[in-house]
Amino acid sequence: MSGESFVYFFESLTKALVYSGTFTGIGACTFRWLLLPHLKSQDLISLKLRQKIISVGLGAAWLTILALLLRAWAHTAAAFGFEDSLTWENLYLIAVKSRWSEGWKLQCLAAVTVLSTFLWTRRHETSGWAASSLAVLVLAATLPLLGHASGNAITELLHTVHILSAGTWLGTLFVLMVASSTQNKNGSAESKNLQTILLRKFSTVAMIGAGVLVASGIVSTTLHLGNISNLWITPYGRTLIIKVLIFLGIAACGYTNWRYFQRAENTTAAPRHKIIIMELTLAAAAILITGMFTELPRPHH
């Protein structure tokens, strides 16, 4: 791998990590407001489960902050080369003085706010979750300030909606699996019932998130792609095709599980974990491809 290719991959990876942390934060908030109330009505909620979701939110915030710091380093390497990116002067120039840093500093501030609010949630759940959800929304709105959508209010809004819908779908799925595993270790019937209830309620959330994701993706592609031939003659277009194919695989996994629960006569039918793991694996691949995709120049620019 050449130095230029390594820097491109490094910058793409750090951006993918930023997305991962943000999606997980969105997923934690979505789980709290849209899924957790259903468990409360079933008397399956516990302090351990609530604390686990808060811990997932904290982990997401720490991951986002670390990824943003690495992203500043990666962007410095893209500007000056990998060896010169290790000097304080160049790092300071990119992270503090450059035009690029304006959006990056807002993202850092939003990520630190997310961390602070999740720490507050540990002791004050009601107000903490409200503050955390608002902070996560702000973080999602800052991500389009760097990348293809920056500089245009319409594309920035579309990108924000795209991020929120992806987090609502894929981020919530990840949080759901972490949450359900907290009470599934003993293999009891009650634990299995918890996971089944979560997955059944999640299917509606996932369909809404996926629908908005597809709609916002189509509109964004129309604005950025230019001629249809750019799909196969440009790196941007070819990477977009790969991204779409991966998302089709994720959707197929989700649809398979949805149909399984629709047809199951037993309301506590056990979920098929292999399909869910495959869905999450494909989601990780999609996030990495998205990081690479958003570092490529748009065809008509």
Side-chain angles (χ1 to χ4, degrees), residues 2-261:
S2 66
E4 185 177 343
S5 298
F6 176 77
V7 169
Y8 165 70
F9 178 76
F10 184 33
E11 195 162 18
S12 300
L13 178 61
T14 58
K15 197 163 190 178
L17 291 174
V18 172
Y19 282 129
S20 297
T22 304
F23 291 167
T24 305
I26 295 169
C29 294
T30 303
F31 184 96
R32 164 61 182 85
W33 297 114
L34 299 183
L35 298 184
L36 202 61
H38 295 289
L39 296 183
K40 190 173 183 179
S41 64
Q42 298 288 335
D43 296 325
L44 292 174
I45 195 170
S46 68
L47 176 62
K48 184 178 180 181
L49 176 61
R50 298 201 311 270
Q51 291 298 318
K52 186 68 173 182
I53 303 306
I54 296 171
S55 296
V56 171
L58 280 170
W62 279 117
L63 174 61
T64 306
I65 292 170
L66 175 61
L68 284 169
L69 294 176
L70 290 173
R71 182 149 167 71
W73 178 20
H75 200 69
T76 305
F80 297 102
F82 187 74
E83 292 184 2
D84 291 332
S85 69
L86 299 174
T87 65
W88 171 249
E89 291 80 6
N90 290 338
L91 283 169
Y92 182 81
L93 179 62
I94 293 297
V96 179
K97 294 295 185 180
S98 69
R99 184 178 178 182
W100 176 87
S101 72
E102 295 175 4
W104 178 80
K105 285 184 285 190
L106 288 175
Q107 292 175 2
C108 289
L109 179 60
V112 170
T113 303
V114 171
L115 176 64
S116 301
T117 54
F118 271 115
L119 287 171
W120 176 262
T121 307
R122 280 183 163 179
R123 293 182 177 274
H124 309 276
E125 284 194 42
T126 302
S127 61
W129 273 114
S132 297
S133 301
L134 179 60
V136 167
L137 285 172
V138 172
L139 174 61
T142 64
L143 296 192
L145 298 179
L146 299 176
H148 295 153
S150 62
N152 184 294
I154 294 177
T155 54
E156 287 177 359
L157 177 61
L158 277 171
H159 195 180
T160 300
V161 171
H162 201 63
I163 291 168
L164 290 172
S165 56
T168 300
W169 177 18
L170 303 178
T172 306
L173 177 61
F174 173 74
V175 176
L176 184 153
M177 293 306 296
V178 173
S180 59
S181 67
T182 301
Q183 296 188 347
N184 276 357
K185 292 179 180 179
N186 57 14
S188 66
E190 183 182 84
S191 297
K192 292 179 180 178
N193 188 34
L194 177 146
Q195 191 173 41
T196 301
I197 291 171
L198 286 174
L199 286 168
R200 284 183 180 276
K201 299 300 180 181
F202 170 70
S203 62
T204 302
V205 175
M207 284 190 288
I208 295 173
V212 176
L213 182 73
V214 170
S216 58
I218 291 174
V219 176
S220 295
T221 299
T222 303
L223 294 174
H224 295 315
L225 185 64
N227 296 328
I228 189 66
S229 60
N230 287 326
L231 272 175
W232 55 85
I233 66 174
T234 65
Y236 180 97
R238 291 191 292 269
T239 307
L240 176 60
I241 290 175
I242 296 173
K243 178 182 175 181
V244 170
L245 291 175
I246 293 174
F247 270 107
L248 287 175
I250 299 171
C253 291
Y255 177 77
T256 300
N257 258 332
W258 177 75
R259 288 296 296 168
Y260 167 71
F261 281 116

